[in-house]
Amino acid sequence: MTDRTRRVRTRPDDFPAHLRAWLEEYDDLLSGITILRRLPDSDAAVEAVLAVREMRKARLSWEMWQALVLGEGDDPDRLLLGRVPLALLEQARLAFYGVEMTVWPTHLSVVGPQ
């Protein structure tokens, strides 16, 4: 099987390690997106880069993992900070969302017992 077709199944508690590896691999790209955001009239360019499949997949995987963790009653930031350096998390949040985030996007809602 080639790397393109290989599917890796991970448990939710493995996610922070996989996220860290991805963020470290694409650190330069995330930094570039953050810098690009500062340029005037760069919105379309930023959106084009974020629309690349690998970028969308990483962002949506992160958001889904967060929703699952919240659904279990845990704190995603607590789980990430034990495994991913804060500076790396902040850079990724700036690249993906354009702002330093203390609260994650709320377009994913957790459905569970009330």
Side-chain angles (χ1 to χ4, degrees), residues 50-74:
L50 293 177
V52 171
R53 183 177 185 267
E54 187 71 23
M55 298 298 292
R56 271 193 342 262
K57 184 173 133 185
R59 182 182 55 82
L60 292 173
S61 295
W62 192 353
E63 291 174 9
M64 179 61 75
W65 174 81
Q66 176 187 304
L68 292 170
V69 169
L70 289 170
E72 293 293 318
D74 211 338

Side-chain angles (χ1 to χ4, degrees), residues 7-110:
R7 298 282 183 222
V8 177
R9 303 273 186 230
T10 61
R11 297 183 335 252
D13 57 334
D14 290 340
F15 183 79
H18 290 282
L19 179 65
R20 179 181 182 159
W22 190 93
L23 295 176
E24 288 173 344
E25 182 176 349
Y26 292 97
D27 182 50
D28 291 338
L29 177 59
L30 295 169
S31 178
I33 295 168
T34 302
I35 293 167
L36 183 60
R37 283 184 177 281
R38 293 186 214 141
L39 297 176
D41 303 319
S42 64
D43 292 346
V46 170
E47 290 305 314
V49 174
L50 293 177
V52 171
R53 183 177 185 267
E54 187 71 23
M55 298 298 292
R56 271 193 342 262
K57 184 173 133 185
R59 182 182 55 82
L60 292 173
S61 295
W62 192 353
E63 291 174 9
M64 179 61 75
W65 174 81
Q66 176 187 304
L68 292 170
V69 169
L70 289 170
E72 293 293 318
D74 211 338
D75 178 8
D77 284 338
R78 182 187 68 78
L79 297 175
L80 287 174
L81 287 174
R83 313 263 310 269
V84 183
L86 178 60
L88 200 53
L89 287 173
E90 285 300 315
Q91 177 168 292
R93 289 174 176 167
L94 283 168
F96 283 129
Y97 304 106
V99 293
E100 290 187 32
M101 301 187 69
T102 56
V103 177
W104 281 78
T106 57
H107 67 276
L108 290 177
S109 59
V110 178

